[in-house]
Amino acid sequence: MVTFKYAAPTTFEDAFSLLSGAACDAVPLAGGTDLINNIRVGAQSPKLIILLRKIRELSGAIEEKQEGVLIGALATLSEIAQHACLRRNFPAIAE
């Protein structure tokens, strides 16, 4: 079993501090699919996992703007697929 520490910063500054202080032994976690699979197969064994979901500036919000659509860094595939504006104006992205 892999053991690691876990941190959930709420600001960019805290996340950067954790990442820089842990050298190469820390990894950020956004969606997690790749990271979790890599840990399971032994391809990665981080000592610290830094959850990014609580950083407000990285929210998963999807916003319609005059120049297009803004998709937040933590938007899930389900949120993107179900968003009315994307389905209407950008069906290839929603699919």
Side-chain angles (χ1 to χ4, degrees):
M1 175 182 228
V2 177
T3 59
F4 53 84
K5 291 183 181 179
Y6 172 85
T10 57
T11 66
F12 277 126
E13 293 80 16
D14 290 344
F16 290 135
S17 177
L18 287 164
L19 282 166
S20 64
C24 293
D25 292 335
V27 293
L29 173 65
T33 303
D34 290 338
L35 176 61
I36 301 304
N37 287 335
N38 286 343
I39 290 172
R40 284 185 183 147
V41 300
Q44 282 182 275
S45 54
K47 294 196 178 5
L48 174 63
I49 294 179
I50 302 169
L51 178 69
L52 301 179
R53 181 139 317 263
K54 295 190 178 200
I55 300 174
R56 190 181 66 199
E57 294 89 356
L58 294 177
S59 80
I62 301 171
E63 300 175 30
E64 199 168 350
K65 303 274 189 176
Q66 184 175 356
E67 60 276 3
V69 177
L70 173 69
I71 301 174
L74 297 176
T76 66
L77 293 176
S78 295
E79 291 168 339
I80 292 168
Q82 295 171 7
H83 196 273
C85 174
L86 292 174
R87 292 175 63 85
R88 181 178 62 251
N89 298 311
F90 306 97
I93 293 174
E95 291 176 6

